[in-house]
Amino acid sequence: MIAFVAFSLRRAWQGLWHNRLMSVAATATMVLMLALLSGLIILLTGLDATLKYVEQEVQVVAYLKDSANPQDVNLLETALGQMPQVTEVSYVSKDQALTDFLGRHPDEAEVVNSLPTNPLPASLQINLRDPNDYLDVAAYLRNQPPVDRVLNIKQTVDQMVTVIGILRAGGIGVLVVVGLIVLFIIVNTIRLAVVSRADEIEIMRLVGASDAFIRWPFIFEGALVGLFGALITIAVLWLGQGPITTVMADYFKVLPVEASATVGRDVALVVLGTGVGIGVLGSYLSIRSYLIR
Amino acid sequence: MAMVSAVSSDSGPSQPRLPGTPGKPAGKPVRSRVVLAMEGVTKSYPNGKVALRGVDLVVPEGDFVFLVGPSGAGKSTIIKLLIRDEMATKGVVLLDGRDLARLKRKEVPRIRRKIGIVFQDFKLLPHKSVRENVAFALEVTGAPRRSIGPVVDRVLRVVGLTGQADQLPGQLSGGEQQRTAIARALVHNPRLFIADEPTGNLDPLISWEIIQLLLRINELGVTVLMATHNAEVVTALRKRVVALEDGRVVRDQTEAAYHRED
């Protein structure tokens, strides 16, 4: 068994070396395709982080009556904080609301200052776990005594939920399609490498080599091509990490999300797994047609 | 190489097997032992072409048989059936007593090791030396590494290539390349040696050297089946001749010539 594995590995290495050109071509294809795949994964991870952030930003805003009893407001705030759909509740006082407003519209200061009283209501801003829960929470709030009215952003939320869903599905769809194309191209490149050695396979069959002795060296060879391709891709990505991170940071500047903490490791694992997996699969499929019928 | 005088002996079976073959005392086997038997063999291809029509052929151990006939007569098809590259559409093909149609997939490589085969185009691996080309046949059939060296040395001695063992095929003459292929075909001590047009790419003098080598192998006890167009060689040797035409055996004669002589 050990002798067989050693034989197969030795033959795989010989095969790679004697057919340098095909090996380099297959590895280069592998690198290009894996780079494409990992680029897409990085992009989709960014998109997903963005979508998560946007989802978190869906807030229910309940304006409070000026006459509301502060104790009632406190109770309501606590009750909301305990609802499973709610991640965070914050109270914005009348003064705070005015300050915020002036911060956003400094030009209006004169108008505001000319008013006898602060016209802005205090409010509760409620962050949701899932934007789909918007209606439930809004309905609950409308029945609470301190609440004057609930800001109606139902349509906006609905549209956003739809768009996010489409983007997610689209991203996964593109990933699947690109994955299949990558699989197809690499399998075909490996098939070319195998076909270019049909003579060798024919000799092996003629001298009475068993299927295992014909197949396994090629499978190891495919695995090696995948491994080299993956390692080169990871090295390239690692070298490009600086520029990529800069771009990503620019992109994510507005987001309080830890976007790239585990992305690097995940991408490396995906690249390694895909490379070796496709290498093995490609060899297996290519060599099959040469074995005993 | 050491030339064996041409038509010295036709008594293959009474000769010992290849030197170094373990067991089996000399002076053995029973004349009636059959290496190859085909009975009513028909082969038709999916495209409707019929390559063989009811071929009967029995080759006893130690025989030397020429398979002759025009291109497309079915010589190659018979060889493909024997190495079980193809299966007979009808009829039975027995090799060393085994029905090739009933072999399990796993048994096919084992049966192939009972056959040594060489072709017109040698089929050597260009980046391997003579020694490595011969050793390859043992490596890919799982022979223990230690046992490979002695076997390779032995068959290289038989074909007279000991001195060229480390050269690449590209550095050899056509005759030497064919002898390398013959050496490779001998490593498993085949029961049947098939030569498919072995002199097709060689000039007449070299062709005779190869024929001498095949005769010597036959003298060592190996049954030889040689498909050829080389009328001069066939007629000179007066061996058994099986002539094919349009997929049928039209003549099966011992001590015969290339063409019908009556």
Side-chain angles (χ1 to χ4, degrees):
Chain A
M1 184 63 200
I2 295 169
F4 175 72
V5 172
F7 162 86
S8 301
L9 278 173
R10 202 168 55 238
R11 290 270 306 135
W13 182 255
Q14 281 175 6
L16 280 178
W17 183 246
H18 286 305
N19 302 277
R20 275 162 289 221
L21 207 65
M22 283 313 286
S23 309
V24 168
T27 309
T29 312
M30 188 75 94
V31 170
L32 283 175
M33 294 299 124
L34 289 177
L36 177 64
L37 202 62
S38 37
L40 198 61
I41 291 172
I42 293 172
L43 216 64
L44 285 178
T45 312
L47 177 67
D48 201 51
T50 315
L51 295 183
K52 279 216 184 79
Y53 175 73
V54 171
E55 279 180 350
Q56 279 174 4
E57 284 299 284
V58 172
Q59 277 185 334
V60 185
V61 177
Y63 294 112
L64 302 174
K65 293 169 186 157
D66 286 355
S67 60
N69 182 336
Q71 257 182 344
D72 289 349
V73 173
N74 263 334
L75 282 175
L76 178 58
E77 201 178 332
T78 315
L80 282 167
Q82 282 163 354
M83 286 175 75
Q85 302 97 318
V86 174
T87 54
E88 201 188 337
V89 185
S90 54
Y91 173 76
V92 178
S93 67
K94 283 173 72 77
D95 292 346
Q96 182 65 42
L98 187 63
T99 315
D100 289 351
F101 178 81
L102 288 176
R104 284 198 297 273
H105 310 284
D107 300 346
E108 311 283 348
E110 253 178 77
V111 183
V112 172
N113 288 336
S114 67
L115 292 171
T117 53
N118 177 355
L120 295 173
S123 62
L124 284 173
Q125 303 194 340
I126 299 126
N127 287 346
L128 297 179
R129 211 172 289 283
D130 180 344
N132 286 307
D133 294 332
Y134 174 81
L135 280 183
D136 292 347
V137 178
Y140 169 81
L141 284 168
R142 267 186 209 105
N143 295 324
Q144 299 302 313
V147 174
D148 182 21
R149 60 194 176 84
V150 178
L151 190 64
N152 190 354
I153 53 164
K154 179 184 178 309
Q155 211 185 358
T156 319
V157 171
D158 279 354
Q159 283 170 349
M160 206 182 72
V161 167
T162 312
V163 169
I164 287 177
I166 291 173
L167 285 177
R168 279 233 170 86
I172 292 170
V174 170
L175 192 65
V176 167
V177 169
V178 172
L180 284 177
I181 293 172
V182 166
L183 182 81
F184 181 77
I185 291 177
I186 295 182
V187 165
N188 267 293
T189 312
I190 291 179
R191 180 181 292 267
L192 274 180
V194 171
V195 168
S196 75
R197 285 155 66 190
D199 289 351
E200 193 175 326
I201 299 170
E202 190 193 356
I203 292 168
M204 292 175 95
R205 295 182 59 216
L206 286 173
V207 299
S210 61
D211 285 3
F213 271 82
I214 298 175
R215 177 186 283 140
W216 281 97
F218 278 100
I219 290 186
F220 279 129
E221 208 177 312
L224 283 177
V225 166
L227 185 68
F228 290 150
L231 290 179
I232 293 173
T233 310
I234 291 170
V236 167
L237 288 178
W238 190 72
L239 287 176
Q241 195 185 28
I244 293 176
T245 312
T246 315
V247 173
M248 295 277 279
D250 279 353
Y251 180 58
F252 288 113
K253 201 159 49 184
V254 291
L255 308 183
V257 188
E258 275 298 313
S260 52
T262 57
V263 175
R265 198 199 56 206
D266 290 353
V267 169
L269 286 178
V270 168
V271 164
L272 206 61
T274 313
V276 174
I278 292 185
V280 166
L281 185 70
S283 300
Y284 178 80
L285 294 178
S286 309
I287 197 73
R288 230 161 48 130
S289 51
Y290 285 100
L291 298 178
I292 295 161
R293 286 171 282 262
Chain B
M1 64 176 273
M3 284 283 174
V4 179
S5 66
V7 198
S8 63
S9 156
D10 194 15
S11 53
S14 63
Q15 299 288 322
R17 303 258 293 155
L18 291 179
T21 308
K24 293 197 181 172
K28 24 107 219 181
V30 204
R31 229 308 184 204
S32 63
R33 178 117 191 229
V34 167
V35 169
L36 151 65
M38 301 176 83
E39 201 185 316
V41 171
T42 294
K43 175 66 186 174
S44 48
Y45 286 99
N47 64 8
K49 191 181 167 257
V50 182
L52 295 176
R53 302 164 197 269
V55 168
D56 295 318
L57 178 64
V58 175
V59 178
E61 180 164 50
D63 227 358
F64 193 115
V65 181
F66 284 117
L67 201 55
V68 303
S71 299
K75 303 192 295 292
S76 300
T77 305
I78 286 186
I79 290 169
K80 279 187 189 147
L81 291 179
L82 291 177
I83 61 174
R84 204 190 169 280
D85 219 15
E86 304 276 359
M87 302 274 270
T89 314
K90 255 197 305 201
V92 183
V93 182
L94 294 175
L95 191 87
D96 204 27
R98 299 294 307 270
D99 184 343
L100 293 189
R102 295 184 183 199
L103 282 185
K104 295 196 196 91
R105 263 179 67 110
K106 284 195 137 169
E107 295 176 297
V108 172
R110 267 176 208 296
I111 282 290
R112 289 204 178 126
R113 287 174 216 170
K114 294 184 174 193
I115 298 176
I117 186 163
V118 297
F119 299 90
Q120 182 169 357
D121 58 357
F122 318 133
K123 295 195 196 298
L124 299 175
L125 293 171
H127 52 257
K128 284 184 185 291
S129 71
V130 167
R131 175 185 295 284
E132 288 166 342
N133 261 288
V134 176
F136 185 68
L138 289 162
E139 285 166 5
V140 300
T141 48
R145 287 189 90 184
R146 271 187 309 274
S147 71
I148 292 177
V151 177
V152 173
D153 288 341
R154 172 167 63 78
V155 293
L156 285 181
R157 248 190 335 267
V158 171
V159 302
L161 277 183
T162 309
Q164 287 91 326
D166 295 320
Q167 294 185 7
L168 295 176
Q171 300 169 298
L172 301 175
S173 69
E176 287 168 332
Q177 291 189 44
Q178 189 60 292
R179 281 194 271 152
T180 307
I182 291 172
R184 181 179 63 195
L186 289 175
V187 292
H188 290 123
N189 285 321
R191 304 269 302 147
L192 175 66
F193 195 100
I194 298 175
D196 188 1
E197 204 70 66
T199 59
N201 276 342
L202 305 175
D203 63 48
L205 192 68
I206 304 296
S207 295
W208 273 109
E209 274 182 35
I210 296 299
I211 300 296
Q212 302 288 359
L213 183 54
L214 293 180
L215 286 170
R216 172 143 184 250
I217 288 163
N218 181 236
E219 280 165 15
L220 294 170
V222 183
T223 310
V224 175
L225 178 68
M226 172 168 161
T228 187
H229 284 121
N230 194 329
E232 189 198 346
V233 165
V234 174
T235 303
L237 289 182
R238 312 307 293 188
K239 294 285 189 185
R240 179 176 170 192
V241 173
V242 174
L244 288 171
E245 231 167 79
D246 197 23
R248 288 191 180 82
V249 175
V250 293
R251 181 162 62 102
D252 186 350
Q253 245 183 328
T254 49
E255 297 182 22
Y258 187 82
H259 297 287
R260 192 180 291 273
E261 292 181 306
D262 40 33

